[in-house]
Amino acid sequence: MTRSDFLSGRVLIAGAGVSGRGCAAVLDHLGVDVTLADGNQESRARLAAELDVATVDTAAVDLSEYSLVVTSPGWRPDSPLLAAAASRGLEVIGDVELAYRLDQAEVFGPSRRWLAITGTNGKTTTTGMLAAIMAADEQRSGQRAQAVGNIGVSSFDALAAEPRVDILVAELSSFQLHWASQLRPDVGALLNLADDHLDWHGSFEAYAADKAKILRGTHAVYGKDDEHVRALAASLAGATSFTHAEPAPGEVGVSAGSLVVNEVAGLHAAVVEDVTTIQPAGLAGVLDAAAAAAVAALAGAHPESIAEGLDAYVVAGHRGEVVHRHGGVTYIDNSKATNPHAAEVAMRGLDSVVWVAGGQLKGADVSDLLRTHAARLKAAVLVGVDKHVLAQALVKAAPHVPLVIVDSHDPQIAMDQAVSAAVQHAEAGDTVLLAPAAASLDMYTGMSQRGDMFAAAARRLAR
């Protein structure tokens, strides 16, 4: 490895978390003069033997000795240290941007191809699908792919891997994209947009602008069915879109029940014969698969590889996994749907839903969700601290929907009672859907425990 010219001076690392430590280790290995700043005394003490460390206040006093700041992605732009750096004209970048620049400078050998995914919802599933496709394509192309970013391994580990990784399949957050000024993926996909992290970005417009950075690479893929994304992509020449509807030339979509790549990068093929076999079940899974197929086609994947990858993909836990079937009723765990937009996506494509919902709404408005999907709700079972807020919204927007309110605050008892009530309302052809539209920490250790308890209760009680 050789040292890149943009690292000619002293570098300040902001934050001693996993990201910060990873950046510091890579730069230190390259011989870069590094200082790591963190507000936690214990974190500084652990690293003092290996790196030069400083308090955040000390680092902010004299920023003139630094040529670059690398920040952990969670640090807000208005953090005093980062704001001070920006006011002095000092460049601030994130971990993914650092990895991209090092790769482009061929510090780790010839540069890789970057396939990048972002969106408010569905990016983990889409990234996993795309990684599975590119893995299936390795035997045909000889190109080794690795999922990086928020799933898989760190970008730095992938860049240093032996045998060589040729293609980085990156799931990127709005935070990571905010701190990425030069990132230009070979193919970048923007799935959808809804209010999220607005306290961090300052406004929806700023959040959307950061997300849209992913579209400025060689090839852009966007979700045509999302009005916000469609507006952002309107000025892009030659962009590829995906849709749940019949695909026009240059699109991926659904035709006669099949997922079809319609003249994308010269490829025309039905890559999934029956979209109802796609996991996760429902429209959200179909859209994620369409996005992954579009990116893969632009990356040169063979149609057989797209089909094999989507068939082999196993949905990540709590993101739309079918956890049980009995008596014609399907039980789906989408505990990851911790906000109304995610719950709205989870419901798309389902015809008759017994909805298990509730938890910490954190002030979120569920009115749009209910207006959109009231007709498909057969019953609703509500749990958690904000169950009565949900109940009031349901009575107003969907007065026809029977409500069951679970009063218990014991996580196991509450979930057992919720699933038992759902079983009583569900008939053949229905879907019992855990898509809470709310966070889980009022009763559970996290969304994983909530989903696990739902799955276990469904298998135990629906018999």
Side-chain angles (χ1 to χ4, degrees):
M1 293 186 292
T2 58
R3 180 166 161 169
S4 178
D5 290 341
F6 80 94
L7 298 172
S8 57
R10 188 173 184 81
V11 175
L12 177 63
I13 307 291
V18 173
S19 170
R21 293 197 306 273
C23 292
V26 169
L27 294 180
D28 183 61
H29 183 67
L30 292 173
V32 178
D33 197 5
V34 173
T35 295
L36 192 148
D38 194 89
N40 185 285
Q41 183 177 355
E42 292 182 3
S43 296
R44 294 196 305 272
R46 284 196 302 270
L47 296 168
E50 307 167 24
L51 298 165
D52 180 44
V53 297
T55 67
V56 173
D57 291 340
T58 300
V61 168
D62 188 7
L63 288 165
S64 61
E65 62 181 290
Y66 302 106
S67 63
L68 180 71
V69 177
V70 180
T71 180
S72 298
W75 280 44
R76 291 167 56 123
D78 59 1
S79 300
L81 177 59
L82 302 186
S87 70
R88 293 170 181 257
L90 191 59
E91 186 177 22
V92 181
I93 67 173
D95 57 338
V96 171
E97 175 76 1
L98 176 62
Y100 178 78
R101 291 191 188 185
L102 291 173
D103 181 46
Q104 295 302 296
E106 299 192 342
V107 171
F108 299 90
S111 59
R112 281 76 176 164
R113 287 196 292 159
W114 288 66
L115 312 180
I117 307 291
T118 198
T120 303
N121 292 296
K123 55 185 177 291
T124 297
T125 299
T126 304
T127 305
M129 288 175 166
L130 179 58
I133 292 169
M134 301 315 293
D137 200 55
E138 182 180 349
Q139 293 183 345
R140 298 179 174 94
S141 68
Q143 298 283 294
R144 183 169 176 242
Q146 173 68 60
V148 301
N150 297 326
I151 66 172
V153 304
S154 79
S155 301
F156 301 117
D157 288 342
L159 291 173
E162 291 294 343
R164 171 187 162 92
V165 171
D166 305 289
I167 301 169
L168 274 61
V169 182
E171 177 195 337
L172 301 182
S173 70
S174 59
F175 304 156
Q176 291 167 317
L177 288 164
H178 177 85
W179 301 117
S181 58
Q182 294 183 15
L183 176 67
R184 301 290 190 277
D186 293 88
V187 188
L190 177 55
L191 308 179
N192 48 59
L193 286 170
D195 288 353
D196 203 15
H197 305 303
L198 300 192
D199 57 339
W200 197 97
H201 291 274
S203 68
F204 177 77
E205 290 72 23
Y207 167 70
D210 282 334
K211 287 284 197 183
K213 287 182 177 181
I214 209 160
L215 300 175
R216 63 190 180 185
T218 307
H219 299 288
V221 173
Y222 68 96
K224 180 181 177 181
D225 300 342
D226 185 297
E227 61 177 338
H228 300 299
V229 174
R230 192 167 62 247
L232 285 172
S235 61
L236 295 175
T240 297
S241 60
F242 63 92
T243 175
H244 74 281
E246 185 81 25
E251 293 183 348
V252 178
V254 179
S255 178
S258 297
L259 184 65
V260 173
V261 179
N262 188 5
E263 300 301 336
V264 175
L267 177 61
H268 185 92
V271 291
V272 178
E273 293 295 337
D274 181 0
V275 295
T276 65
T277 64
I278 292 173
Q279 291 294 324
L283 185 56
V286 172
L287 287 170
D288 293 343
V295 174
L298 290 166
H302 294 71
E304 298 86 357
S305 301
I306 299 175
E308 291 168 12
L310 292 176
D311 182 61
Y313 175 72
V314 177
V315 65
H318 319 299
R319 289 175 169 85
E321 182 181 9
V322 175
V323 295
H324 187 54
R325 285 190 174 94
H326 179 75
V329 178
T330 301
Y331 295 78
I332 295 177
D333 167 17
N334 210 317
S335 186
K336 183 67 170 60
T338 56
N339 58 61
H341 182 263
E344 192 274 326
V345 172
M347 286 188 192
R348 293 179 191 171
L350 301 177
D351 293 328
S352 180
V353 175
V354 178
W355 186 31
V356 181
Q360 296 167 300
L361 285 170
K362 298 181 293 185
D365 184 2
V366 298
S367 56
D368 285 346
L369 163 66
L370 296 177
R371 276 195 296 269
T372 302
H373 294 299
R376 72 182 72 235
L377 294 179
K378 183 174 184 178
V381 183
L382 308 178
V383 301
V385 65
D386 287 331
K387 55 183 175 284
H388 293 295
V389 177
L390 269 173
Q392 291 172 7
L394 274 160
V395 168
K396 182 177 181 179
H400 67 283
V401 176
L403 294 179
V404 178
I405 296 177
V406 175
D407 290 325
S408 176
H409 294 285
D410 178 274
Q412 186 68 66
I413 293 173
M415 188 57 73
D416 285 352
Q417 291 180 351
V419 172
S420 179
V423 170
Q424 297 304 311
H425 280 87
E427 300 175 307
D430 294 342
T431 298
V432 175
L433 174 68
L434 174 67
S440 58
L441 296 180
D442 56 328
M443 290 199 302
Y444 300 94
T445 58
M447 64 91 182
S448 294
Q449 186 194 46
R450 178 170 65 184
D452 289 342
M453 287 188 173
F454 169 82
R459 294 171 187 134
R460 187 174 66 253
L461 298 171
R463 306 173 69 177

